[in-house]
Amino acid sequence: MMRMSQTEWIVDLENTWLDSLSPFQLLLLTLVVISTLTAVFLVAHVIGLMLIRNRRKWWADALQARIEDGIAIWLAGDYSIRELTSAFQEELKKDPGAGKIILNVIFATSKLLRQEGQSALRQLLTGLDLHQLCYKLLKSRHWYQQTYATQIIGQLQMEEALPLLKHKLKTKNSTLRLELITAMVALGDQSWLQEIDYNSAHLSDWEQIVLLERFRRLNTEQLPPFESWLTSAHAGWVLFGVRLCRHFNRFDQVLKLGNLLQHPDKKVQMAVLDAFDYLGSPEAIPFLIRYMHQATGDRLRTAIRVLGNQGDPDLVRLLGPYTAHTDPIVQLSALSALKELGLTKIELGQLSSNPNYIDHLFDPKLR
C-alpha cells in the first residue's frame, strides 16, 4: 500500500508540474525532447555508418592485397593464367563486389607491362567476365565512369569494344573525348579520324597539348594518318595536324603546309611558319616568299625571321628592302635575318639609317 501511494504521489506530482506549464513551455519542452532524441539517433547512425565503412575498407584492403599477391605469383611464373583465373573466380563467388577491385588491380598491372603482357591480362579479364563490367561503365551516365572504362579498354587493347567507343565520339566532355581518341589510336583503328573531325568541330589548345603528349609516346607505326587533318573543315583540327607534322618531321607534307599559309585562321598561319622554321626545308622558301607580300604585323616579322633561318644567301636581295619598312620592328627583324644570312656589321650599316638597330644586333648587352 505504501508503494502504491508513493507511485500515485509521483504521478500526481508530474501531472501537477505539467499542468503548471504554459502552452509555450510545453511546446519548448517537446521540441527539446525531440531534438535530443533526433541527435542521439543521428550520432548512433553516423557511428554505425563509420563502423560499416571501416569494415568495408578493411575487407577491400585485404581483398586487394590477396589479388596483388596472386598477380605477383603469376608474374613470377608460379601460377598459370588458368590457375589465377580460378583463384579470382572464388573471390567473385564470395562477393560479387570484388569485381571492381580485381578490375582496378588488372588495370594497374597492365600499365606496368609492355605490349607482350597485355594479351594474358586481357585473357584474365575476359575469363572473369569483367569485360562486361567495363562495358557497363562505358554505358553509364557519368562521364568519369565512362572515362575510366575507356582507359581500361585502350590500355588492354580490347578491340571488341570499338563499336562502343565510336558511339561515344559524339560526347561534349573534353576529358572523355581525349581518352576516346587515345584509346582509338591504341587499338589501331583509323576510321574514327573523320568521325571525330565531323562530330567535334572545336579542339582547344589544352586538348591539343594533351593529345600531342600522348602521340609522342607512340611508335611511328602506331601513329594514325594525322596528315588528313590538314584538309579538315575545322581550324582546330587543321592546327593540330600542322603541329603534329612539325613534331614528327613530316617533310613530305611541306606542300600541304605551304598551301595552308592561305588559311583564314591566323593561328594556323603562325603554326605553319613555326613548322617551316623547325623543319628548315628549302621547299618551304617559295611559299614563304609569296606569303611575305601579303603578311603584316607579327606574321610578316615571323616570316622574315623564318626566311633568315633558312641560310640561303639568295634571300639577301629579297630581305634588303624590308630594312626600310615603315614598321621599326619589321626593320629590326629584317636586319636580324640578314645577319643570320651572313652579312657583316658594316654591310648592315649600309642598309639601315638607324645605327641603334645595328648596335642592338651586335652588342650582347643590348640583346
Side-chain angles (χ1 to χ4, degrees), residues 116-252:
E116 58 272 13
Q118 305 305 321
S119 59
L121 289 174
R122 189 165 56 248
Q123 180 183 346
L124 174 63
L125 191 76
T126 53
L128 296 171
D129 209 29
L130 291 179
H131 60 292
Q132 297 297 336
L133 178 58
C134 286
Y135 300 159
K136 183 178 179 181
L137 291 174
L138 193 60
K139 295 176 182 178
S140 71
R141 297 181 179 179
H142 304 291
W143 67 267
Y144 52 87
Q145 291 183 339
Q146 297 177 34
T147 300
Y148 182 61
T150 303
Q151 290 175 340
I152 296 174
I153 291 170
Q155 179 65 39
L156 292 172
Q157 299 179 348
M158 300 163 60
E159 296 182 2
E160 59 275 11
L162 273 172
L164 289 174
L165 296 181
K166 290 180 181 179
H167 179 71
K168 291 294 181 180
L169 284 175
K170 299 178 181 179
T171 181
K172 300 298 182 182
N173 185 280
S174 59
T175 303
L176 176 57
R177 182 170 56 174
L178 291 175
E179 295 300 338
L180 287 168
I181 295 174
T182 305
M184 289 291 192
V185 173
L187 291 171
D189 183 87
Q190 313 303 347
S191 62
W192 56 273
L193 286 172
Q194 295 300 325
E195 293 185 38
I196 190 67
D197 185 2
Y198 177 78
N199 294 317
S200 306
H202 179 68
L203 186 70
S204 67
D205 288 336
W206 174 78
E207 291 174 307
Q208 293 186 40
I209 292 172
V210 175
L211 283 177
L212 178 59
E213 182 61 30
R214 295 187 179 182
F215 277 34
R216 287 174 59 185
R217 302 174 189 171
L218 300 175
N219 297 325
T220 306
E221 61 273 11
Q222 293 177 299
L223 290 171
F226 54 79
E227 62 276 4
S228 62
W229 281 325
L230 296 178
T231 57
S232 171
H234 306 305
W237 289 100
V238 175
L239 181 61
F240 185 47
V242 172
R243 288 171 172 169
L244 287 172
C245 287
R246 174 196 181 278
H247 178 78
F248 291 106
N249 297 316
R250 294 297 299 271
F251 293 97
D252 59 316

Side-chain angles (χ1 to χ4, degrees), residues 31-98:
L31 292 175
V32 170
V33 172
I34 293 174
S35 300
T36 303
L37 292 176
T38 303
V40 171
F41 172 77
L42 289 176
V43 170
H45 183 66
V46 169
I47 292 174
L49 289 177
M50 290 177 63
L51 292 174
I52 294 173
R53 179 178 176 275
N54 290 337
R55 184 177 180 181
R56 182 70 181 178
K57 186 177 184 303
W58 175 86
W59 170 84
D61 291 342
L63 174 61
Q64 181 171 336
R66 293 198 299 273
I67 300 303
E68 289 174 349
D69 289 343
I71 293 285
I73 294 173
W74 168 67
L75 290 174
D78 297 331
Y79 258 176
S80 67
I81 194 67
R82 182 177 299 179
E83 291 173 322
L84 187 64
T85 303
S86 178
F88 287 174
Q89 283 175 340
E90 292 298 322
E91 296 289 353
L92 288 171
K93 289 178 182 178
K94 296 177 185 177
D95 191 335

